[in-house]
Amino acid sequence: DCCQNRLRNAKVFLDGALVGTIPQVDGTQKYTIPVNEYGQEVKIQATAGDSLQLAEVEVYGRVSSVDGGWGEFSDWSACSAKCGGGVQSRSRACDSPAPKNGGADCQGDNKQERDCNTDPCPVDGGWGEFSDWSACSAKCGGGVQSRSRACDSPAPKNGGADCQGDNKQERDCNTDPCKVYKCSNSKKIPCPGGEKKCISKWLACDGVRDCKDGSEETADFCKDRPCTEKRIKCQDGLQCVRRDTWCDGKKDCSDGSDESLCALGAL
């Protein structure tokens, strides 16, 4: 038959895609079929079979390879820490274009990292241990002890909060009443601090220490104590000074009221 070795309009597929049609094959012939993608060509060798329905197509050429190209980097990720130093990252893909037909992969890294939020973290302050209690302020009759602590465990840093609460504590001490030392002379009084000594009544609350501990000049002792007839109490209530020294131009009261009241015409 004249047409046994003739094949007409044979469709040619490459990797599952139709790349062209061979119009007619008589025996063994070579064809070059253009491939639209990238404007390149594929060379086809077609051989007619024993009937119009059979054909053998051999590919001995292929589309040129395409090297990969990097796409744009993504946005930077959130920082891994809010302070004290963290890390941000971003990535890119080898898809502009992707490597094809044996083309080379993209060169370089597909990921970048950078430091972020490097400012030191705030450190809130913490109280240290209290100190030992101080010595009592009185040997008897009630005194006060105190102790303190510092905001240094840790100290506030980088804008951290200060310690909350008091840095000092006080407590009563030696609350037992003092033993009263009796004086044989009615014009004398014992030192109120417990010292075994008697002093003249008019020397108490005169601004001068006659008792060793000065207990006869303290505010607690003098505030409510009346003065003798020949003395007047200063305005702060803590001293008794001689009447004849008031308004003499010399301050005898520690608060100066013996002269300041004169200037105001109060006496």
Side-chain angles (χ1 to χ4, degrees), residues 101 186 210 224:
N101 302 322
S186 61
D210 295 288
D224 299 319

Side-chain angles (χ1 to χ4, degrees), residues 10 82 146 185 202 244 256:
K82 293 182 178 180
S146 64
N185 190 331
W202 58 83
D244 57 6

Side-chain angles (χ1 to χ4, degrees), residues 205 218-226 233 235-239:
C205 306
T218 62
D220 289 340
F221 180 76
C222 297
K223 189 70 175 177
D224 299 319
R225 183 177 177 80
K233 185 164 283 192
Q235 190 175 20
D236 62 8
L238 302 181
Q239 279 180 266

